[in-house]
Amino acid sequence: MKKIFALVMAAVILTTTAMAADFIPGQKIRFNGNEDRWEGELKSINSDNYSVSSVKWEQGKDLVSSVTIDNDDEVLVLSLKHDYKSTKEKTLQGTIKLREKGKTRYATLSIDCTVGYDVVDLSVDANGDVEVPTIDSSSIYRIKDNDRGYGTMNFSAGDTDVSVRVYDGEVYYLHHNNDAIKSVLTANTDTDATIDFLTFEGTPSFNATATVNFYGVEEDMFIYELRNGRLVRSAAKWSDDNDTWELKTRTLGSYVISDKTLKSPAGNSTNDTGTGTGGDNNPDTGANDVVGVASALALAALVSGAAVSLKKQR
């Protein structure tokens, strides 16, 4: 049964810095042409009618990943870069011009907005604990303690619990998802394995070793980590005390849980010794890179109906 942390959430001491930014890092902003910030006559936004003529930023150029036209939805898409550490609200200001195909007419979109997370300050309580409220994608969490300077942070990601020492001033993006990863599913099409996914989008790294407990995972099941597109066996060990798989790590990444052994998307088979083929397993230190959230989300968007049937429904 899932462990319940000792402290009641109602006792959590936290403060949310009122930022109310217009958009958050990593967001895709979609303009359909009905916004009042457009100038010039505008037809349906698609590549038959328009091409992106120019993009000029007065402020915040480094916040933008790309500007594209989505033909399916007929919108202009402004993709913001991910930033999993910033607690500052930043300004994005500039113009995007669309040129009408075969014409010298332009439609101009003026951008003047702010980008940033809601910053939630988490305090260390009298027992030295830091409890995290419900985690959402728009918030980033900052540890605040002027007395002892550190505490033990506890939070849950579905059926997975994390406990780790954190220090005053540290900042963490803790949002996670359970999106299916297409590369893993397609590499294991020929198996009837039941597969679950857990991805910590910001791959938070700590200055102390975290304890991760995977509840609801049976002793005869398998836990993998996805690193640089390859599956490696996690160093998680079965704990008889907690009846759960327990992992010691300094970085939270992308985990794949299965009732059967899996093949790696890169074509390298995994093994049962706790190390991945090729010897790149080093989960205790968290030194290896874990596949980024952007890749996981992009792959998940392509999952077919047949592949999704592999994913365990909780």
Side-chain angles (χ1 to χ4, degrees):
M1 182 175 180
K2 188 175 183 297
K3 181 180 67 174
I4 304 297
F5 286 120
L7 296 180
V8 179
M9 287 304 298
V12 176
I13 303 173
L14 58 88
T15 302
T16 302
T17 303
M19 293 182 63
D22 298 311
F23 304 102
I24 63 173
Q27 186 172 348
K28 292 183 183 296
I29 312 171
R30 305 171 73 82
F31 301 99
N32 61 17
N34 294 325
E35 298 83 7
D36 58 9
R37 60 186 75 192
W38 286 96
E39 292 183 5
E41 185 178 345
L42 191 63
K43 298 180 179 180
S44 297
I45 302 176
N46 56 59
S47 57
D48 290 331
N49 292 332
Y50 293 102
S51 61
V52 178
S53 174
S54 67
V55 180
K56 296 182 179 180
W57 300 113
E58 297 175 18
Q59 293 187 67
K61 180 180 179 180
D62 60 335
L63 302 176
V64 179
S65 174
S66 64
V67 176
T68 57
I69 293 175
D70 183 336
N71 287 321
D72 292 334
D73 293 335
E74 295 192 324
V75 294
L76 182 68
V77 181
L78 172 60
S79 298
L80 299 176
K81 292 180 180 178
H82 289 283
D83 183 353
Y84 298 115
K85 286 293 185 181
S86 178
T87 59
K88 295 182 179 180
E89 182 178 296
K90 300 178 182 179
T91 299
L92 179 62
Q93 188 178 69
T95 57
I96 301 171
K97 282 190 175 183
L98 300 183
R99 179 174 179 170
E100 188 175 344
K101 291 287 184 71
K103 307 287 184 179
T104 56
R105 290 196 293 266
Y106 296 86
T108 302
L109 176 66
S110 296
I111 305 290
D112 190 357
C113 62
T114 54
V115 178
Y117 295 109
D118 293 328
V119 180
V120 180
D121 286 336
L122 302 178
S123 298
V124 180
D125 67 16
N127 296 318
D129 289 303
V130 180
E131 293 289 339
V132 182
T134 301
I135 296 170
D136 62 74
S137 61
S138 63
S139 296
I140 195 166
Y141 301 91
R142 180 171 56 193
I143 310 303
K144 298 288 285 186
D145 185 80
N146 297 321
D147 296 327
R148 73 181 73 196
Y150 66 89
T152 300
M153 182 169 68
N154 305 305
F155 66 96
S156 296
D159 291 330
T160 300
D161 284 347
V162 180
S163 181
V164 61
R165 174 175 285 192
V166 290
Y167 298 87
D168 178 55
E170 292 180 340
V171 174
Y172 298 104
Y173 184 80
L174 301 176
H175 194 252
H176 51 272
N177 69 67
N178 301 108
D179 297 341
I181 300 174
K182 184 187 176 185
S183 62
V184 174
L185 295 178
T186 55
N188 293 277
T189 301
D190 296 331
T191 180
D192 60 351
T194 299
I195 306 174
D196 281 323
F197 300 86
L198 173 62
T199 297
F200 289 90
E201 300 163 16
T203 57
S205 290
F206 307 101
N207 288 314
T209 299
T211 299
V212 184
N213 290 107
F214 296 90
Y215 291 91
V217 182
E218 301 298 330
E219 186 175 2
D220 60 351
M221 295 178 71
F222 303 88
I223 300 177
Y224 299 92
E225 296 183 31
L226 191 61
R227 300 180 178 184
N228 300 316
R230 298 177 57 215
L231 281 181
V232 296
R233 284 292 301 277
S234 171
K237 300 182 183 301
W238 180 258
S239 170
D240 289 323
D241 294 334
N242 297 324
D243 288 329
T244 180
W245 284 95
E246 187 172 281
L247 173 66
K248 301 290 187 179
T249 183
R250 289 200 174 194
T251 299
L252 303 179
S254 185
Y255 303 96
V256 180
I257 301 166
S258 173
D259 61 347
K260 296 184 179 180
T261 57
L262 299 177
K263 296 179 181 178
S264 173
N268 297 310
S269 62
T270 54
N271 57 48
D272 297 334
T273 64
T275 57
T277 302
D280 62 352
N281 192 44
N282 192 14
D284 285 342
T285 64
N288 291 292
D289 292 334
V290 182
V291 66
V293 63
S295 298
L297 292 175
L299 290 169
L302 297 173
V303 175
S304 65
V308 170
S309 64
L310 290 173
K311 184 175 183 291
K312 181 179 180 182
Q313 301 297 321
R314 289 194 183 275

